[in-house]
Amino acid sequence: MVCRMKRSAFLLPFVLLASPLFAATSGEEIYQQRCARCHEQVNDRIPPREALQKMPAARILRALDAGPMMAVAFTISREDRIAVASYLGTNAPVAGPPASAFCADHTVKIAAKPKTYWNGWSPGQNNARFQPGDLAGLSTDQVRGLKLKWAFGFDGDATAFAPPTVIDGQVFVGSAGGLVHAMRAETGCLQWVFQANGPVRSSILEVPLGTQHALLFGDMTGWFYAVKAETGKLLWKAQVETHDSTRLTGGPVAHDGIVYVPVASWEETRSADVDYNCCTFRGSVVALRIRDGKQLWKTWMTDAPVERGRTPRGTINYGPSGVGVWSTPTLDTKRNLLYVGTGDNYSAPATETSDAVIALDMATGHMVWIKQLTAEDVFNGSCSRAPSTCGPDFDFGSSPILTHAPDGRELLLAGQKSGIVWALDPAKKGEVVWQTRVGKGGTNGGVQWGMASDGQNVFATVSDVKRMLQTDPTDPRRNRVDPNEGGGLTALRVADGSQEWHVAATPCPPGAPEGCGPSQPGAVTEIPGAVFSTSTDGHIRAYSVEDGKLLWDFNTMRDFQTVNGVKGYGGSIDGPGAVVVNGMVFISSGYPRNGGVPGNVLLAFGPE
Ligand code: HEC
């Protein structure tokens, strides 16, 4: 079994599926159990089995991993997805982008000293998501007049969740289909594409490597890559985690020739399946040498799980587990520390490392201190059946921000799914300086993907999405979004956590598509004068830093004519926030995962 999984991970990204390793029977069984109820009925919307059998297996796998079937496939292991895709589909390859999508000149050049850049998850290593004025290149007046410059469509994808890295007019961006793109900021034309093994949603970090440059990023199957920025050719790749449910969502950070990679997983959700032996994944941070990908250290966030009895049904319990690291680590080069926010435990026993901010020694990976902010938080997909035995699911999904308060004192600001923003003292092992509630919190509530701060204020949006069970049996989304619940943007003073202002979420208009909701899970971005926030309602909005007044509002939930000829459409926005650099604003739109509206576009805006 294990050996088969490993093979598949090597051979079978989205490209090559002609493998005889996978017995047709198991693919057929999975089809009967997981697909037939929808695909064997006559319904205009649903492609029948005969239509699926004409599709390349690679495209079916992509539909399961990153496309319209994502929510259906969520509890299906990758091995089983591959089995059902190869059972149904043909061996034909999936076509790459057409020649017309490419620039006339494919050259990618990166200056030794770029003038404008947004490189990785945040413009600075402190993860404050604050882009200084000279790099943002947008006045408040220009923000008011932002117009769509171009849209780029991710072919075959139903979600667009990767943030671009932009360096002097050069864009690098991943996609749900696992294609990483190099394109020009002015036009969106392509220079090269690179196919990863799995969906790439992590931010991409560009680092100099000799006379050239490397792009560092992870995918949603546990592989981490170094690709030559100039050509898109692979330099090396390393599987930083082999657990079947691994996902690398947080972006990497680098210092002194070493790249630090955070590791999370979706195993928590797989235990929604009553027969799943929960749980064996444990989060980690991995340090790799940039030169060759050699692993220098890997620090697990819990001890190794061991068997802990069985459920009445006979399913095996394993623990401890969980404590994924979902977000980009924060570098403190003064103290040689790396700060990470951690998620909950998936199974008992609970550990002291879950729902915590943890400081790791950059050289060795040793835990220097652990500040747990919610204890005893054991949560997994079976909790919907027995909620009383479960914790509240209060992960830290976003990066701690290392900043200076106006009085010069250093603080770590951490936003939690509990709806609380914490200020911790990095000089005192994370001692709590203040805490302020900005939302209700919950499984998909509170602060999710990131806050922004300029040192005076910290800007936090909350998700607080309310998910309801899907009532349409043919809708591949497992959940529906409550169109009236969630959202809100709060500005807090960094000095003491008191509120500067608050802007309530905008309700969805009557007649909005199913999946519209006011929640604001996406990361916040700040430039001098403006705070950018996105929403499940598909809007990207800019607010005045001073008083929260709305400066600009664009609804992405519509169809787009794309520069690469793909049928483009926007939907809910979740995950990364706006990237602002050199007078342009980039945002990707489409996020059906929590019941939101699908979409497949990267949008670029500029002043008139
Ligand atoms: C709950 C109903 C439902 C289930 C279960 C379901 N599908 Fe689908 N499937 C749909 C619908 C509806 C569509 C049309 C796309 C849409 O409307 O989002 C679709 C579309 C597809 C497509 C076309 C995607 C594309 O790129 O155009 C593929 C491939 C597919 N399904 C494969 C599967 C496989 C394989 C399974 C089982 C593992 C499965 N589906 C289970 C409802 C379902």
Side-chain angles (χ1 to χ4, degrees):
M1 273 303 256
V2 171
C3 158
R4 209 168 99 177
M5 269 172 49
K6 281 228 169 92
R7 278 294 286 275
S8 69
F10 275 107
L11 289 177
L12 290 168
F14 302 107
V15 237
L16 220 191
L17 278 160
S19 172
L21 284 170
F22 307 105
T25 45
S26 89
E28 182 171 1
E29 266 165 31
I30 296 156
Y31 176 79
Q32 291 303 343
Q33 286 163 15
R34 306 285 202 144
C35 321
R37 75 182 162 93
C38 291
H39 286 278
E40 297 284 322
Q41 59 174 280
V42 183
N43 178 317
D44 283 352
R45 233 182 101 198
I46 309 178
R49 182 192 187 127
E50 301 73 58
L52 298 181
Q53 284 168 330
K54 291 196 182 97
M55 288 181 185
R59 173 160 161 211
I60 299 176
L61 183 60
R62 209 161 132 167
L64 298 174
D65 278 347
M69 294 298 97
M70 238 165 75
V72 170
F74 217 68
T75 54
I76 305 177
S77 73
R78 191 117 207 295
E79 193 184 8
D80 285 356
R81 295 178 196 196
I82 291 167
V84 73
S86 27
Y87 160 70
L88 284 170
T90 71
N91 292 335
V94 178
S100 57
F102 284 84
C103 314
D105 179 2
H106 292 206
T107 321
V108 173
K109 272 205 201 101
I110 294 171
K113 282 206 164 57
K115 289 195 188 65
T116 59
Y117 44 87
W118 178 303
N119 186 9
W121 176 248
S122 169
Q125 293 187 333
N126 62 354
N127 280 332
R129 299 188 59 83
F130 174 77
Q131 180 70 305
D134 51 336
L135 300 184
L138 272 182
S139 68
T140 306
D141 263 353
Q142 285 174 317
V143 170
R144 284 197 187 91
L146 282 168
K147 289 275 173 314
L148 182 69
K149 293 285 172 202
W150 51 260
F152 182 92
F154 299 110
D155 195 16
D157 295 354
T159 190
F161 51 22
T165 274
V166 186
I167 302 165
D168 282 342
Q170 179 63 48
V171 178
F172 302 106
V173 67
S175 67
L179 266 197
V180 174
H181 310 72
M183 58 174 82
R184 295 299 308 167
E186 314 87 82
T187 58
C189 70
L190 291 172
Q191 295 141 311
W192 53 252
V193 292
F194 169 83
Q195 178 68 59
N197 291 359
V200 176
R201 76 173 294 174
S202 95
S203 50
I204 294 174
L205 187 69
E206 176 271 316
V207 293
L209 197 67
T211 55
Q212 306 235 308
H213 298 82
L215 303 177
L216 305 171
F217 54 89
D219 75 13
M220 298 282 270
T221 63
W223 283 91
F224 191 81
Y225 306 80
V227 163
K228 207 173 196 175
E230 283 78 5
T231 59
K233 294 281 179 294
L234 182 69
L235 295 166
W236 51 260
K237 63 178 170 176
Q239 194 175 17
V240 294
E241 174 56 57
T242 54
H243 195 285
D244 175 54
S245 67
T246 304
R247 24 187 57 189
L248 306 181
T249 53
V253 287
H255 184 69
D256 232 355
I258 300 173
V259 58
Y260 301 94
V261 185
V263 181
S265 90
W266 54 287
E267 191 187 28
E268 188 177 27
T269 324
R270 282 178 69 181
S271 40
D273 176 349
V274 286
D275 294 319
Y276 187 75
N277 299 319
C278 172
C279 282
T280 51
F281 173 85
R282 40 184 183 145
S284 62
V285 178
V286 180
L288 304 172
R289 196 159 68 189
I290 294 175
R291 181 157 44 90
D292 54 7
K294 181 177 183 277
Q295 185 172 308
L296 301 177
W297 53 258
K298 171 166 183 156
T299 298
W300 299 101
M301 296 293 126
T302 74
D303 291 337
V306 295
E307 194 177 324
R308 308 218 175 228
R310 287 174 185 258
T311 65
R313 201 185 158 85
T315 312
I316 309 171
N317 296 319
Y318 293 100
S321 63
V323 198
V325 184
W326 293 94
S327 59
T328 307
T330 305
L331 281 170
D332 183 347
T333 49
K334 194 176 83 186
R335 295 187 179 87
N336 287 316
L337 295 179
L338 204 59
Y339 304 112
V340 294
T342 63
D344 57 4
N345 287 114
Y346 299 165
S347 56
T351 62
E352 58 165 2
T353 48
S354 59
D355 299 351
V357 174
I358 299 182
L360 302 175
D361 183 299
M362 281 164 60
T364 62
H366 289 150
M367 290 189 191
V368 177
W369 53 259
I370 301 166
K371 183 68 192 176
Q372 185 172 50
L373 293 156
T374 305
E376 301 292 325
D377 187 4
V378 177
F379 182 91
N380 63 53
S382 72
C383 286
S384 53
R385 299 191 292 273
S388 61
T389 61
C390 296
D393 193 10
F394 285 166
D395 304 55
F396 282 92
S398 60
S399 304
I401 295 173
L402 181 61
T403 191
H404 286 92
D407 67 0
R409 180 175 50 168
E410 269 182 295
L411 288 177
L412 272 171
L413 306 172
Q416 195 180 4
K417 277 165 59 185
S418 59
I420 293 179
V421 176
W422 302 86
L424 310 177
D425 188 341
K428 293 188 183 155
K429 298 187 170 178
E431 201 176 278
V432 176
V433 178
W434 54 256
Q435 55 170 296
T436 303
R437 177 168 291 285
V438 293
K440 291 181 198 154
T443 292
N444 275 101
V447 176
Q448 291 230 288
W449 290 102
M451 311 184 294
S453 180
D454 51 26
Q456 285 289 324
N457 293 315
V458 55
F459 302 90
T461 54
V462 294
S463 165
D464 284 353
V465 66
K466 194 164 157 212
R467 295 189 297 187
M468 304 179 295
L469 273 186
Q470 184 58 258
T471 47
D472 174 357
T474 62
D475 194 314
R477 288 174 293 186
R478 295 160 74 88
N479 300 296
R480 285 186 302 139
V481 168
D482 186 322
N484 303 309
E485 287 281 332
L489 164 63
T490 309
L492 302 176
R493 296 182 191 96
V494 171
D496 59 5
S498 60
Q499 184 178 310
E500 177 83 23
W501 48 257
H502 171 83
V503 181
T506 314
C508 289
E514 160 112 44
C516 182
S519 64
Q520 289 166 263
V524 183
T525 299
E526 186 188 359
I527 66 170
V531 177
F532 291 83
S533 169
T534 57
S535 166
T536 309
D537 72 4
H539 286 248
I540 173 169
R541 299 179 174 90
Y543 302 87
S544 161
V545 164
E546 260 77 298
D547 51 13
K549 278 215 180 74
L550 189 68
L551 299 173
W552 174 69
D553 181 358
F554 185 91
N555 184 4
T556 71
M557 208 178 271
R558 46 162 265 213
D559 292 345
F560 291 95
Q561 190 108 45
T562 64
V563 289
N564 57 330
V566 167
K567 194 170 171 295
Y569 57 102
S572 298
I573 309 181
D574 198 334
V579 163
V580 186
V581 55
N582 195 23
M584 290 186 80
V585 177
F586 300 86
I587 192 72
S588 45
S589 174
Y591 203 92
R593 163 81 187 94
N594 290 319
V597 178
N600 68 351
V601 283
L602 172 69
L603 305 174
F605 300 89
E608 276 183 293

